[in-house]
């Protein structure tokens, strides 16, 4: 996902939610509808969440430091996880509390009865615009994936977060319209409480899904199977490497992948020849997968006996020196 695409979707959602929050609060003050209050807080939470995503994106661009040598790319994951907490607490739990409070003292909407309906319909239009923008930006990178797979596998958290928030907001608006409409029709405030409770349950579910997906990114995810296969082909597509002994990948941020591999190389006559080979492999990896920006390659002499023994290391003739140093030739780190 391009960072610009994510930013565009976030700004569209932020502008929509600020406008929606203001109109919902006005409607709540005029009607005392608990559904309108729950939706107002929901929009405020969403606005704060979009601000958090923008802040996370800005902080993630800071240059690497000695204390954080791989940079700050994962800050985008941290702020996305905070978004899930805000949505769960300020959005979901508050709506459930308001539903309980309304159910304890239900009352009909007796004044400004047209206001909540008009506000909710206008909010659906504005939220639909935001959702359309998020879908349009997501389609640039979604490819043939289903929406479920896109949300589960996306390494950049902004668009999945905005998509889920906007989807939840649209469904929440429909639920609020149902609760308010039934209250106006029947004169029974319990419908308003029921709509509020359904909004709360919806927001809690979305927050839990966001937390689970963001947690996986925070723990550290490797390259997708397609990118992994491409990297493997790039490593072995040349005379410098006989085979990959083992390889690991890790996303340092949404757009930065680390590749670490132990590679089996043919015997070399000099360290200079070995270094040229490693440089060639690194160049192929970066050409094949441009986000592979940090590369560590460790050359080794592959041994079938060592692999069967489970050591995965060098040829059996390589004995550890008495000084405790490595008997292998260390690979050059690229980055």
């Amino acid at each position: 996902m391009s960072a610009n695409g994510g930013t565009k979707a976030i700004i569209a959602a932020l502008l929509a939610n600020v406008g929606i929050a203001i109109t919902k609060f006005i409607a709540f003050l005029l009607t005392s509808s608990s559904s309108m209050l729950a939706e107002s807080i929901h929009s405020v939470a969403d606005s704060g969440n979009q601000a958090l995503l923008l802040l996370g994106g800005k902080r993630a661009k800071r240059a690497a430091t000695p204390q954080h040598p791989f940079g700050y790319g994962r800050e985008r994951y941290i702020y996305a996880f905070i978004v899930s907490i805000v949505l769960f607490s300020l959005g979901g739990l508050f709506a459930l509390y308001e539903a309980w409070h309304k159910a304890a003292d239900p009352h009909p909407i007796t004044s400004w009865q047209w206001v909540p309906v008009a506000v909710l319909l206008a909010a659906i239009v504005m939220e639909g615009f935001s959702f359309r923008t998020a879908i349009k930006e997501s389609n640039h990178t979604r490819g043939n994936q289903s929406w479920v797979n896109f949300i589960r596998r996306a390494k950049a958290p902004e668009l999945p977060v905005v998509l889920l928030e906007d989807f939840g907001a649209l469904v929440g608006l429909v639920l609020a319209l149902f609760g308010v409409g039934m209250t106006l029709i029947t004169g029974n405030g319990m419908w308003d409480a029921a709509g509020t409770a359904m909004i709360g349950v919806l927001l809690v579910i979305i927050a839990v899904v966001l937390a689970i997906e963001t947690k996986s990114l925070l723990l550290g995810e490797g390259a997708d199977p397609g990118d992994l296969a491409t990297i493997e082909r790039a490593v072995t597509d040349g005379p410098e490497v006989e085979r990959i002994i083992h390889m690991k990948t890790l996303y340092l941020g949404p757009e930065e992948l680390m590749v670490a591999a132990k590679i089996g190389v043919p015997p070399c006559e000099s360290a200079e020849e070995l270094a040229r080979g490693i440089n060639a492999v690194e160049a192929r990896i970066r050409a094949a997968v441009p986000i592979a920006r940090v590369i560590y390659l460790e050359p080794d002499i592959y041994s079938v006996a060592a692999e069967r023994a489970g050591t995965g290391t060098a040829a059996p003739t390589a004995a550890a020196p008495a000084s405790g140093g490595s008997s292998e030739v260390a690979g050059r780190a690229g980055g």
Side-chain angles (χ1 to χ4, degrees):
M1 183 204 81
S2 66
N4 289 337
T7 301
K8 183 177 179 180
I10 294 171
I11 292 175
L14 177 60
L15 293 176
N17 279 307
V18 169
I20 292 170
I22 293 172
T23 55
K24 286 176 182 176
F25 265 123
I26 293 174
F28 163 70
L29 293 174
L30 293 174
T31 64
S32 298
S33 166
S34 65
S35 292
M36 294 308 303
L37 179 58
E39 276 297 304
S40 301
I41 298 301
H42 178 192
S43 294
V44 170
D46 281 353
S47 300
N49 288 340
Q50 273 101 52
L52 285 171
L53 292 175
L54 290 173
L55 178 62
K58 181 178 180 180
R59 291 181 62 84
K61 294 178 181 178
R62 290 179 294 167
T65 64
Q67 188 176 6
H68 298 91
F70 293 112
Y72 293 85
R74 286 197 177 187
E75 284 222 41
R76 289 165 69 178
Y77 300 151
I78 294 172
Y79 280 86
F81 188 76
I82 294 174
V83 163
S84 68
I85 297 174
V86 172
L87 192 63
F88 178 82
S89 56
L90 190 58
L93 295 186
F94 178 84
L96 291 175
Y97 166 78
E98 183 61 24
W100 173 80
H101 180 73
K102 179 73 174 185
D105 182 25
H107 51 79
I109 300 173
T110 56
S111 60
W112 299 91
Q113 294 179 330
W114 61 271
V115 169
V117 175
V119 167
L120 289 171
L121 291 175
I124 288 174
V125 173
M126 288 187 282
E127 201 66 66
F129 167 76
S130 174
F131 192 39
R132 177 180 175 274
T133 302
I135 290 174
K136 183 179 178 181
E137 295 301 325
S138 298
N139 281 333
H140 293 325
T141 54
R142 184 171 66 93
N144 296 324
Q145 297 182 83
S146 67
W147 285 108
V148 173
N149 285 336
F150 173 72
I151 290 172
R152 295 192 62 185
R153 297 178 182 177
K155 306 305 179 186
E158 290 83 2
L159 280 177
V161 169
V162 174
L163 280 168
L164 285 174
E165 281 191 343
D166 286 351
F167 173 76
L170 282 171
V171 176
L173 287 168
V174 172
L175 293 175
L177 189 61
F178 169 77
V180 169
M182 291 301 295
T183 298
L184 291 174
I185 293 171
T186 65
N188 185 350
M190 287 299 295
W191 287 107
D192 196 15
T196 307
M198 288 187 286
I199 293 170
V201 171
L202 172 70
L203 295 182
V204 168
I205 291 173
I206 291 176
V208 170
V209 171
L210 278 177
I212 292 173
E213 295 304 320
T214 311
K215 173 191 171 185
S216 178
L217 293 170
L218 281 172
L219 289 175
E221 291 188 357
D224 293 331
D227 284 343
L228 191 60
T230 301
I231 293 171
E232 290 174 348
R233 287 193 299 269
V235 172
T236 56
D237 189 22
E240 305 88 1
V241 179
E242 293 180 336
R243 65 181 297 153
I244 298 172
I245 298 175
H246 59 74
M247 181 173 70
K248 294 182 180 180
T249 60
L250 179 68
Y251 272 90
L252 302 175
E255 293 155 2
E256 187 172 27
L257 182 67
M258 182 176 71
V259 178
K262 177 175 285 191
I263 54 177
V265 299
C268 299
E269 294 184 359
S270 66
E272 182 179 358
E273 181 183 354
L274 179 61
R276 283 198 302 268
I278 291 176
N279 288 338
V281 176
E282 289 178 354
R284 289 201 301 268
I285 294 173
R286 290 195 174 93
V289 182
I291 63 172
R293 299 176 185 175
V294 180
I295 302 173
Y296 296 98
L297 299 177
E298 180 183 356
D300 206 340
I301 305 299
Y302 175 72
S303 166
V304 175
E307 183 179 45
R308 289 176 178 174
T311 61
T313 57
T317 55
S323 61
S326 173
S327 63
E328 303 167 3
V329 181
R332 193 178 72 81

